[in-house]
Amino acid sequence: MLYGGDYNPDQWPERVWDEDVRLMQEAGVNLVSLGIFSWSRLEPAAAEYDFGWLDRVMDLLHAGGIAVDLATATASPPPWLSHKHPEMLPVLADGVRLSHGARQHYCPSSPVYRFATQHLVEQMAKRYAKHPALAMWHVGNEYGCHVPACYCDVSAAAFRSWLEERYGSIEDLNRAWGTDFWSQRYSGWEEVLPPRKTPTWPNPSQQLDFMRFSSDELLACYEVERSVLTEHSPGVPVTTNFMRFFKPLDYWKWAEREDVVSDDVYQDPADPEAGMRSAMAGDLMRSLGRGRPWVLMEQSPNRVNWRDVNVAKAPGQMRLWSYQAIAHGADGVMFFQWRQSRAGAEKFHSAMVPHGPVASSPTWRETRQLGQELRRLDPVCGSRVEAEVAIVLDWESWWALELPSKPSTRVEQVDQLEQYYRPVFAANVVADFVRPDHDLSGYKLVLVPNLYLVSDAGAASLVSFVRAGGALVMSFFSGVVDPFDHIRLGGYPAPFASMLGLRVVDWLPLSDDDHLTVSFPDGTQGRGDLWSELIETTGADVLATFSGGRLDKHPAVTRHKFGSGSAIYVGTRLDQPAMGRVLSSVFIDAEIEPAIDVPSGVEVVRRSVPRSSILFLLNHRDGAVDVPIAKAGTNLIDGHEVHAGLLRLGPYGAAVIREGW
Ligand code: GAL
């Protein structure tokens, strides 16, 4: 089980390093992400390298039994590079060019940046490929975090080449972008631009292609580095750290190029739903790696520094959320960062080793305790989390859904994912994320929150899943456009109308202060907000109707038997109790159950190993709770036997029970 954090020894005099290693050993650290922002120290001037200090750190760590996730250091180019080549600095849609002085100040298409990173990484790879401390490569850092896209002339030329590759002819581009609208027809490639600041909305198909292009351009930067690394150190895993549900990068594509998926999760302790949100992120990371264990690359030991008010984690919360990441498939828990910086923009961000006296710091004590506990969790490594439910997330649809000039711009992808995930989490049902065109045959239930854009293949895959006996729940404003963001004609939602047994006659979005009553046949009522629509059934049964107003008695929720399966459609944003009711009845019908029944506020997830299984119990409440256990086992955290009966979990407590041992 990997344990450690970002290590920036170049911020400290060398005499501190010995203490670092001693404290790392005390805290059970076995891996550090080294030198993520060290470019200006490693290459103080063009092609002049200073690796002496890094050699010493690598050797020292190795001697101390600590492995290294060695960073390529390319996330923050040194000032000399952009001073000499200002054209490598990124430009915003309004033409403003960003300066150096923070980090990530590069245009992803810049040949200068790519050339410089390739040369630095070649030096690093040659020098450290055989170093015994090297365990993993950490390419860049949080790609796209500050600069997800660039609109400069270099980017414009790269965008044109990308488009030529995609469409072949300017005629096909005109067709794909629907340029007969507003006289946008292009007569030659040289006229085509990124969607820079325009008098009003730029062409939506152009914007969508620019998002695809920008994700691909950053991926190309990553690929420049990865190909150097795999050439010099074949077999050493390569990763770059993701940022949960990060819109600008199509992580499905990115994850295919990683040996290990890794993620940075910064829950807000002031958010009462933080636990639900990090569970959802964990499920996404596991799914991006197609079930392989992932690594929690960064979390904060305590406070961050970048919110307006940086609320501290409650005692035990960091430990709980660490176990939660492991429950959802992580085989490693890491932090930003090891030692709290003395200077710079992040000096108020917590670290494993705080500014003040170390021994008395509660943050240090909790990280040390966790590190010591995790030493006993090796039996968990490599085990899998099996899910019977899949939630559809497609980045292209997300991008298209949130482009402006829609019936409502309030429909947001992550909000809609959470609509579904909340009841899934509350019911302790484990879910994977999938793209619509993935193989869905292993799932009993597929949830489809607002799949606005869908390809023919994606639509066919969902329809075949239901036809073959699967259960599916889909919400409003799905199946509306094709991959060019052109309306799918023939009645909304054209590709799903026969599967759903209905037609949407008209969309009636709701203003912020408006809501509708939704009535179920047993007399219970729920609330719908954000969206409503006029639905005409063509075979579906009505599960709930709108009450009052112009949609009075019209369907709000429907179910249609299709082939050997069934498809539910939800025509509004239901409040949580109503959404919970709809999903719980689907869980019952599809025979989907939690690993064990637990009191509310307790999360339960099972990881499976051959011939055994490991049960994670996570108490998200700040009070103790008793959990009924049916199967005896051993709590790996403390080695104690767990008997059938009640197991007490303290506030934010966790148990990791190897069942049957
Ligand atoms: C991450 C980043 C780290 C550090 C951290 C602070 O986004 O990768 O370098 O800035 O945030 O929370």
Side-chain angles (χ1 to χ4, degrees):
M1 189 58 64
L2 304 173
Y3 191 63
D6 283 18
Y7 183 35
N8 298 303
D10 39 334
Q11 294 177 11
W12 296 94
E14 293 205 17
R15 64 188 143 73
V16 178
W17 300 354
D18 286 326
E19 195 203 21
D20 281 337
V21 173
R22 186 181 60 70
L23 289 173
M24 284 177 192
Q25 289 168 335
E26 194 182 322
V29 167
N30 55 22
L31 183 76
V32 291
S33 301
L34 181 60
I36 295 180
F37 297 103
S38 300
W39 191 345
S40 63
R41 282 289 296 270
L42 293 172
E43 192 181 359
E48 278 176 28
Y49 300 101
D50 175 9
F51 287 113
W53 66 272
L54 190 57
D55 292 350
R56 291 194 290 285
V57 180
M58 291 285 286
D59 293 348
L60 194 67
L61 288 164
H62 178 61
I66 293 149
V68 174
D69 166 37
L70 187 56
T72 56
T74 52
S76 191
W80 59 258
L81 187 61
S82 38
H83 180 67
K84 202 158 145 208
H85 297 283
E87 73 279 12
M88 66 158 280
L89 291 165
V91 173
L92 305 179
D94 61 3
V96 170
R97 195 179 280 276
L98 303 178
S99 301
H100 63 239
R103 62 177 175 183
Q104 224 179 69
H105 43 277
Y106 60 84
C107 156
S109 305
S110 162
V112 172
Y113 173 73
R114 291 193 189 179
F115 177 86
T117 57
Q118 184 180 348
H119 279 258
L120 175 65
V121 176
E122 264 164 11
Q123 297 295 321
M124 305 260 302
K126 279 189 201 147
R127 197 170 185 98
Y128 299 109
K130 300 261 164 345
H131 196 286
L134 178 69
M136 182 151 72
W137 289 107
H138 186 298
V139 178
N141 188 66
E142 294 190 340
Y143 275 96
C145 168
H146 308 300
V147 183
C150 174
Y151 297 76
C152 73
D153 289 343
V154 172
S155 301
F159 184 41
R160 285 190 283 270
S161 307
W162 184 94
L163 290 166
E164 271 195 76
E165 177 86 9
R166 185 173 171 86
Y167 295 111
S169 73
I170 199 74
E171 240 339 285
D172 282 349
L173 174 101
N174 278 314
R175 211 169 300 123
W177 286 10
T179 53
D180 286 326
F181 181 82
W182 280 356
S183 177
Q184 292 169 356
R185 176 162 282 275
Y186 295 98
S187 53
W189 288 106
E190 65 287 354
E191 298 162 9
V192 179
L193 291 171
R196 289 177 178 158
K197 192 121 184 84
T198 42
T200 180
W201 311 298
N203 180 310
S205 310
Q206 174 195 14
Q207 293 191 65
L208 180 58
D209 269 342
F210 191 65
M211 288 173 179
R212 293 182 175 115
F213 159 79
S214 299
S215 174
D216 284 357
E217 283 300 270
L218 281 166
L219 185 55
C221 293
Y222 166 83
E223 280 294 319
V224 165
E225 300 192 26
R226 186 179 81 121
S227 57
V228 173
L229 299 171
T230 48
E231 186 195 325
H232 290 279
S233 55
V236 177
V238 178
T239 191
T240 184
N241 44 346
F242 289 166
M243 290 162 282
R244 313 210 266 185
F245 291 82
F246 182 66
K247 181 177 166 187
L249 303 187
D250 182 347
Y251 280 160
W252 288 119
K253 264 190 168 180
W254 278 69
E256 282 171 13
R257 318 288 181 90
E258 285 192 308
D259 299 307
V260 179
V261 170
S262 62
D263 194 29
D264 298 350
V265 179
Y266 289 95
Q267 300 94 338
D268 185 353
D271 171 9
E273 294 199 300
M276 180 275 289
R277 300 207 155 94
S278 42
M280 180 160 133
D283 287 343
L284 176 66
M285 292 305 137
R286 185 186 66 249
S287 308
L288 290 171
R290 310 307 289 272
R292 294 193 315 268
W294 55 282
V295 173
L296 175 60
M297 185 59 86
E298 291 181 23
Q299 64 171 335
S300 63
N302 190 352
R303 279 186 326 273
V304 297
N305 66 307
W306 40 263
R307 296 193 173 100
D308 287 343
V309 176
N310 297 294
V311 171
K313 289 184 176 173
Q317 226 168 22
M318 178 281 284
R319 176 174 172 273
L320 173 74
W321 287 336
S322 301
Y323 281 116
Q324 186 189 33
I326 299 172
H328 287 265
D331 275 3
V333 170
M334 313 271 292
F335 295 91
F336 176 82
Q337 63 174 328
W338 167 250
R339 186 180 280 280
Q340 191 167 7
S341 300
R342 192 169 176 205
E346 294 182 323
K347 55 185 172 296
F348 292 110
H349 193 293
S350 63
M352 298 168 81
V353 177
H355 291 148
V358 176
S360 57
S361 149
T363 305
W364 165 251
R365 285 209 291 257
E366 196 168 319
T367 50
R368 189 184 54 181
Q369 179 197 339
L370 178 64
Q372 290 170 355
E373 289 172 359
L374 292 187
R375 287 181 177 150
R376 305 191 203 104
L377 254 71
D378 281 347
V380 173
C381 292
S383 61
R384 300 286 176 130
V385 180
E386 311 286 347
E388 296 177 323
V389 178
I391 305 177
V392 170
L393 168 60
D394 180 83
W395 256 264
E396 299 200 355
S397 182
W398 181 358
W399 294 333
L401 176 72
E402 294 182 6
L403 286 172
S405 65
K406 290 279 185 333
S408 169
T409 53
R410 308 289 160 87
V411 183
E412 291 174 350
Q413 188 68 71
V414 173
D415 173 56
Q416 294 304 315
L417 288 171
E418 289 181 353
Q419 279 291 110
Y420 281 80
Y421 196 83
R422 234 173 240 121
V424 165
F425 180 70
N428 274 310
V429 163
V430 174
D432 283 344
F433 284 88
V434 291
R435 243 182 18 205
D437 57 345
H438 283 163
D439 175 10
L440 306 173
S441 58
Y443 298 104
K444 290 180 172 172
L445 170 64
V446 172
L447 305 175
V448 192
N450 309 79
L451 186 65
Y452 164 74
L453 172 153
V454 71
S455 66
D456 292 347
S461 159
L462 293 170
V463 172
S464 329
F465 169 75
V466 178
R467 190 179 285 122
L472 179 142
V473 184
M474 177 177 276
S475 40
F476 58 92
F477 211 44
S478 290
V480 177
V481 296
D482 66 15
F484 305 112
D485 197 31
H486 293 198
I487 299 291
R488 287 183 170 280
L489 299 175
Y492 316 126
F496 302 123
S498 51
M499 173 186 83
L500 296 167
L502 55 75
R503 225 160 50 84
V504 174
V505 181
D506 202 6
W507 298 308
L508 307 168
L510 300 174
S511 60
D512 282 350
D513 45 10
D514 205 2
H515 69 269
L516 293 174
T517 300
V518 176
S519 303
F520 291 85
D522 64 0
T524 50
Q525 293 197 320
R527 215 177 111 107
D529 66 2
L530 187 75
W531 188 274
S532 65
E533 48 189 32
L534 180 58
I535 297 170
E536 235 176 53
T537 56
T538 56
D541 300 326
V542 177
L543 296 186
T545 51
F546 291 110
S547 296
R550 63 193 277 201
L551 286 177
D552 190 36
K553 301 204 170 42
H554 283 281
V557 184
T558 62
R559 182 176 51 210
H560 186 227
K561 289 202 186 322
F562 179 75
S564 320
S566 69
I568 288 187
Y569 184 72
V570 185
T572 182
R573 182 171 70 179
L574 290 175
D575 63 11
Q576 281 309 300
M579 191 66 183
R581 282 166 51 103
V582 171
L583 287 194
S584 349
S585 74
V586 182
F587 294 155
I588 293 169
D589 292 348
E591 297 176 1
I592 292 163
E593 288 175 357
I596 61 168
D597 279 326
V598 288
S600 79
V602 176
E603 185 185 357
V604 52
V605 186
R606 187 174 268 137
R607 282 184 70 164
S608 312
V609 276
R611 291 185 305 283
S612 168
S613 57
I614 297 172
L615 192 70
F616 286 75
L617 297 173
L618 307 158
N619 179 14
H620 288 274
R621 305 193 319 201
D622 61 2
V625 63
D626 290 325
V627 182
I629 302 288
K631 232 191 210 171
T634 306
N635 186 354
L636 292 176
I637 296 181
D638 56 17
H640 292 165
E641 282 182 22
V642 176
H643 303 286
L646 289 181
L647 175 73
R648 172 148 295 201
L649 296 177
Y652 301 119
V656 181
I657 303 170
R658 195 175 193 181
E659 295 178 308
W661 285 66

